[in-house]
Amino acid sequence: MPAMNMVQALNSAMDVLLRNDPNVLIFGEDVGFFGGVFRCTDGLQQRYSSQRVFDAPIAEGGLIAIAIGMGAYGLRPIVECQFADYIYPGFDQIVSEAARLRYRSGGEFTSPITIRSPYGGGIFGGQTHSQSPEGLFSHVCGIKTVIPSNPYDAKGLLISAVEDDDPVLFFEPKRLYNGPFDGHHDRPLKPWTDQAGADVPAGHYKVPLGKAAIAREGSELTILAYGTMVHVALTATQETGIDAEIIDLRTILPVDIETIEESVKKTGRCLIVHEATRTGGFGAELSALVQERCFHHLEAPIERVTGWDTPYPHTFEWQYFPGPKRVGEGMRKVMAG
């Protein structure tokens, strides 16, 4: 199998989908001629024509509204919002229309649309190019939210998302596009070559939605993470020497509560890590679920390591970003509790 970075894996997924299903099409901001600001759709317009891969105005509400109509008529559109920070103008269409269409029509219509969007920090994008809005959508019934952490999962999850009959939000950790990021910003970039998850089959395969992966087995502590934070947690585990089991959620809605419950009951301790702001973040829901299901197995209070309740700062990027030091401190606190 060829080694791919996440950009190449996502491109390969869309190539397979366009080739196999004439109802799949791609549109969004700069996805056509330019191939996407991060190059994820590079070459697809030339291969499949400007009728199936095309540029659209910077109007997220309009993009998503058009996609909903396309889905109702049997197409499977992939819409790209160039940065997750700009998905908010389309929020009403996602929540009030896409997420509700199957229910409000009694199953007569579905909304098989996939909304791709780069998210998260670590690239000095500042407050308008670094946000992590996944927690907002986890409150909405009728949509699925997917966040991969490696190229293999990115391709398999994207194919599953597009072939799903319900709307899927597909957030891509932009800091992982070209290599795994351990949270140490002052170290050279590591390429995906020879890294776990970089061997990506060229053809069609699926990674199921709603099924977590065990990124590292351990016995002393369970860490729940997704996206970039999976790699930061792996680094913190190595640096602290604590034998942590790291669960890569992959899909936060639906969440694989069975895998989480099994791990926490084994270790007796739980740390939750995400890059989004703390208050109302998805970590709060995870904490509640673990408390409800594993209370009698917990040996210490559940701890969260997250972004701060502030706009994403440009100057203080690495004070905001939950790096290995902060995650390690959280691990030690749970172990001492």
Side-chain angles (χ1 to χ4, degrees), residues 28-330:
E29 297 148 1
D30 294 319
V31 302
F33 178 81
F34 186 64
V37 68
F38 292 103
R39 317 304 291 165
C40 291
T41 54
D42 187 34
L44 296 180
Q45 184 182 81
Q46 292 86 342
R47 202 168 301 142
Y48 294 100
S49 85
S50 58
Q51 278 70 49
R52 296 188 67 196
V53 183
F54 55 91
D55 296 314
I58 302 175
E60 288 79 8
L63 296 179
I64 295 165
I66 290 168
I68 294 167
M70 289 176 169
Y73 274 91
L75 299 175
R76 292 187 179 273
I78 304 170
V79 184
E80 179 178 316
C81 290
Q82 199 167 85
F83 289 89
D85 313 61
Y86 300 121
I87 204 168
Y88 303 124
F91 190 84
D92 181 48
Q93 290 294 328
I94 296 170
V95 173
S96 302
E97 306 299 336
R100 310 296 190 218
L101 186 58
R102 181 194 287 271
Y103 180 83
R104 71 191 296 186
S105 69
E108 185 175 353
F109 295 102
T110 60
S111 186
I113 71 173
T114 301
I115 303 167
R116 293 181 45 247
S117 196
Y119 96 112
I123 64 164
F124 284 102
Q127 65 174 355
T128 57
H129 295 82
S130 304
Q131 296 175 58
S132 301
E134 69 277 3
L136 298 174
F137 297 100
S138 68
H139 188 65
V140 181
C141 302
I143 57 177
K144 297 168 183 173
T145 304
V146 178
I147 304 175
S149 69
N150 60 72
Y152 179 90
D153 284 353
K155 179 175 178 177
L157 288 167
L158 183 56
I159 291 174
S160 292
V162 175
E163 295 183 351
D164 195 277
D165 287 334
D166 289 311
V168 179
L169 287 168
F170 197 92
F171 289 117
E172 300 163 9
K174 63 177 88 72
R175 193 60 174 82
L176 299 183
Y177 273 146
N178 294 310
F181 181 55
D182 62 9
H184 289 293
H185 64 280
D186 51 351
R187 296 179 182 177
L189 174 71
K190 294 180 181 178
W192 276 110
T193 309
D194 299 326
Q195 297 290 326
D199 291 332
V200 180
H204 181 283
Y205 70 92
K206 297 170 75 171
V207 173
L209 306 183
K211 182 61 179 175
I214 299 177
R216 182 189 188 278
E217 293 186 351
S219 62
E220 294 183 310
L221 164 68
T222 296
I223 300 179
L224 306 181
Y226 49 87
T228 305
M229 292 299 107
V230 173
H231 302 275
V232 175
L234 287 165
T235 301
T237 297
Q238 183 180 20
E239 292 178 356
T240 60
I242 297 171
D243 187 24
E245 181 153 288
I246 300 172
I247 307 297
D248 179 357
L249 297 183
R250 301 200 290 197
T251 304
I252 69 168
L253 196 71
V255 67
D256 185 359
I257 189 60
E258 290 80 13
T259 296
I260 294 171
E261 187 175 355
E262 182 179 353
S263 178
V264 174
K265 286 182 176 179
K266 178 178 71 173
T267 65
R269 290 177 168 83
C270 182
L271 174 69
I272 299 164
V273 184
H274 63 64
E275 192 177 337
T277 51
R278 182 181 182 87
T279 301
F282 190 65
E285 177 65 19
L286 289 171
S287 180
L289 288 170
V290 172
Q291 183 78 359
E292 290 166 0
R293 291 171 174 261
C294 306
F295 177 76
H296 294 290
H297 296 268
L298 289 170
E299 301 293 337
I302 301 165
E303 181 70 16
R304 286 180 287 164
V305 178
T306 71
W308 305 116
D309 288 341
T310 69
Y312 206 112
H314 184 273
T315 303
F316 298 104
E317 171 107 28
W318 303 114
Q319 285 72 29
Y320 181 97
F321 190 91
K325 180 180 179 181
R326 285 178 57 200
V327 174
E329 290 170 352

